[in-house]
Amino acid sequence: MMELMVGPVLALAIGAGCRLLDIPLPAPPKLQGALLVLAMTVGYLLGDKFLGMR
Amino acid sequence: MSWKFCVGLLLGLTIGFGCRWLAIPVPAPPMLVGASLVVAMTTGYLLADRFMATHPARHHQDCGGPSGETKETRT
């Protein structure tokens, strides 16, 4: 449970730090791009579930 | 939400599904927690960007350029 709370806070800090220090971000700098990455993962997991049902 | 963004999301879902179907490595974290961390990183970047836009440097004119002069043109 603790890890689930630390992870997002650390990710937010990494994103903010990259912007403040002008370092390239290891993620898409636009929210739409990040949501596309999320959509790919969701599609992968849906495929995993679908193939597991067959 | 524009229709282009909806098409992009649909394409993302299709790419993820197809990668699993064809057993190709997916160009995204294969776990939902990992993908959520990518979104969190981008959110932090955008929040810092918004903060920097609303808080411009107040003493920028006092800072020296490459030669140390404060009023010189920066390249």
Side-chain angles (χ1 to χ4, degrees), chain A residues 7-44:
Chain A
V9 172
L10 185 62
L12 278 170
I14 288 172
C18 283
R19 180 65 190 98
L20 292 172
L21 300 174
D22 210 11
I23 296 171
L25 184 72
K30 296 268 191 184
L31 194 58
Q32 288 91 337
L35 290 176
L36 292 188
V37 171
L38 188 67
M40 270 193 277
T41 302
V42 170
Y44 185 85

Side-chain angles (χ1 to χ4, degrees), chain B residues 15-72:
Chain B
I15 288 171
F17 195 89
C19 283
R20 178 64 188 89
W21 187 283
L22 301 171
I24 297 170
V26 70
M31 301 285 279
L32 199 57
V33 178
S36 303
L37 291 186
V38 171
V39 176
M41 263 195 281
T42 303
T43 306
Y45 186 88
L46 293 174
L47 286 176
D49 195 43
R50 185 168 292 181
F51 176 81
M52 288 174 74
T54 52
H55 295 78
R58 287 181 296 156
H59 301 288
H60 184 256
Q61 69 274 9
D62 298 329
C63 297
S67 69
E69 295 294 327
T70 55
K71 294 291 183 186
E72 71 180 313

